[in-house]
Amino acid sequence: MVKPVGMIVLLCALLFLVAIISMNVGKMNLSAFEVLQVLTGKGTDQQRLIVYELRLPRIVLSILVGVGMSISGCVMQSLLKNDLASPGTLGISSGSGLFVLLYITIFAANGLISPVLLPLLAFVGGITAALLIFMFAYRKGRELSPSGLILTGVAMGSGYGALSLMITLGLDKKQYDFALRWQIGNLWGDDWKYIVILIPWIIILGAYVLYKSNTLNALNLGNQTATGLGVAIKREFIELTLAAVALSSGSVALGGNFFFVGLIAPHMARRMVGNNHKLVIPASAVVGALIILIADTFTRTVSMGADIPTGIIITIFVTPYFLYLLSKAN
């Protein structure tokens, strides 16, 4: 049986292999030798365009979005001690999505397009959704109920979805198509000007969550035990929640609503490496990156008669595994 650290190394090797394959395949196939030539500074102008401007940004974005959504889902499931918690089920992704739509209809429509503005607005939408959820779920003198938070999140997500639909109906055809594909899950921000903003966003927040892995381990033992171990529960809960919301918001802003990834990747990671967050967090990140990268490579390579968003492929392939997990839990 492979040890947990060895499993993470294998997952990283698999991610690297899939990235290499993804760089070689697509509407215009390139051989491994041609890709190597481009990466070593050679190759034709067309080959450099395909690798550096079309495929590599999309591969990097797939990995970043997968890492962000997965770590966010892992933190939320740990904080709420509920396997169904994720940016999607808590309605946080819907809050971020509403503000992304506002960006499209107000800022972008008036020419105020900024790579920095979009993830910041998504974060504001996500944190606003989170605050409203906690406010409605809070009961004075009682601990927050994870089930109550999730049910409140589902209700809030429906409300945000209705508001988003109202805005969407007022868009022109081009904006409507973009909004629809974003809601399904579409890696639209595959431009280096957006990616260079997202890279430090994901790396810094991901490193912070990994640094707090011992705190998450202590919180999983229960609030009384965590307090006995010297954990400032309220402060740590707020800080980790902010980090999780920021990770999902940045990912949602450029990749759309891949809520299934944030829900399922931590489950798969725990089955591979156990419950220690020092191992679960990096394993979840790599599994999430693999899910999105494989799905996106599939949509770019296999002709299905239409340009299918990556989120649809993920839903089709991940739903059976999710149903399997539910059957095992019962």
Side-chain angles (χ1 to χ4, degrees):
M1 185 176 178
V2 181
K3 292 183 178 180
V5 175
M7 180 60 71
I8 294 173
V9 172
L10 283 175
L11 287 170
C12 290
L14 180 59
L15 179 62
F16 179 76
L17 178 63
V18 173
I20 295 297
I21 294 171
S22 183
M23 208 176 295
N24 282 269
V25 299
K27 297 288 190 295
M28 295 181 65
N29 287 334
L30 295 178
S31 68
F33 178 72
E34 288 172 331
V35 171
L36 182 62
Q37 278 193 313
V38 172
L39 295 177
T40 54
K42 301 174 184 178
T44 65
D45 290 340
Q46 184 185 38
Q47 289 169 348
R48 285 195 292 271
L49 175 68
I50 292 171
V51 172
Y52 287 127
E53 299 302 324
L54 299 177
R55 292 186 186 167
L56 193 57
R58 200 165 179 90
I59 290 168
V60 173
L61 181 62
S62 298
I63 293 171
L64 290 173
V65 171
V67 169
M69 292 300 290
S70 302
I71 295 179
S72 178
C74 185
V75 171
M76 290 178 181
Q77 288 173 14
S78 298
L79 290 178
L80 299 179
K81 301 177 183 64
N82 193 303
D83 292 341
L84 291 177
S86 76
T89 53
L90 285 172
I92 292 169
S93 294
S94 298
S96 298
L98 176 62
F99 276 65
V100 169
L101 282 177
L102 291 175
Y103 171 85
I104 297 168
T105 55
I106 298 174
F107 294 96
N110 292 310
L112 301 173
I113 299 174
S114 167
V116 181
L117 188 61
L118 182 56
L120 285 177
L121 276 174
F123 174 69
V124 171
I127 203 64
T128 301
L131 287 172
L132 287 172
I133 291 163
F134 283 112
M135 183 179 73
F136 286 122
Y138 175 75
R139 296 293 181 272
K140 190 175 181 180
R142 300 183 192 175
E143 287 189 7
L144 283 170
S145 165
S147 299
L149 277 171
I150 289 176
L151 289 173
T152 305
V154 170
M156 290 296 299
S158 299
Y160 275 116
L163 287 173
S164 298
L165 182 60
M166 287 175 60
I167 295 171
T168 302
L169 292 174
L171 300 177
D172 60 38
K173 188 179 184 303
K174 186 177 180 181
Q175 290 176 327
Y176 177 82
D177 182 62
F178 172 84
L180 182 63
R181 297 177 69 83
W182 177 91
Q183 288 170 342
I184 296 169
N186 187 45
L187 294 164
W188 73 273
D190 54 347
D191 190 304
W192 288 116
K193 68 181 180 182
Y194 292 111
I195 292 171
V196 294
I197 298 298
L198 190 59
I199 287 174
W201 186 287
I202 298 295
I203 289 176
I204 292 171
L205 290 168
Y208 170 77
V209 171
L210 186 60
Y211 171 73
K212 289 290 185 178
S213 55
N214 283 333
T215 301
L216 287 166
N217 286 336
L219 290 171
N220 267 0
L221 298 174
N223 289 349
Q224 288 185 336
T225 304
T227 302
L229 292 172
V231 176
I233 293 175
K234 287 186 178 179
R235 190 191 73 204
E236 297 290 356
F237 187 91
I238 291 170
E239 289 178 0
L240 285 165
T241 299
L242 286 173
V245 171
L247 280 165
S248 68
S249 299
S251 303
V252 161
L254 301 183
N257 196 359
F258 289 101
F259 81 93
F260 242 132
V261 176
L263 180 64
I264 209 72
H267 286 278
M268 298 176 73
R270 288 190 190 96
R271 284 178 167 265
M272 296 176 187
V273 300
N275 294 315
N276 185 348
H277 283 84
K278 286 185 177 180
L279 300 170
V280 173
I281 291 168
S284 296
V286 182
V287 169
L290 270 169
I291 290 172
I292 294 184
L293 183 56
I294 290 171
D296 187 60
T297 303
F298 182 86
T299 59
R300 289 193 296 104
T301 307
V302 179
S303 177
M304 291 172 283
D307 187 11
I308 305 296
T310 306
I312 291 179
I313 301 300
I314 291 174
T315 303
I316 291 171
F317 285 118
V318 170
T319 299
Y321 182 74
F322 183 61
L323 293 173
Y324 166 75
L325 285 180
L326 288 177
S327 67
K328 295 291 285 186
N330 294 326

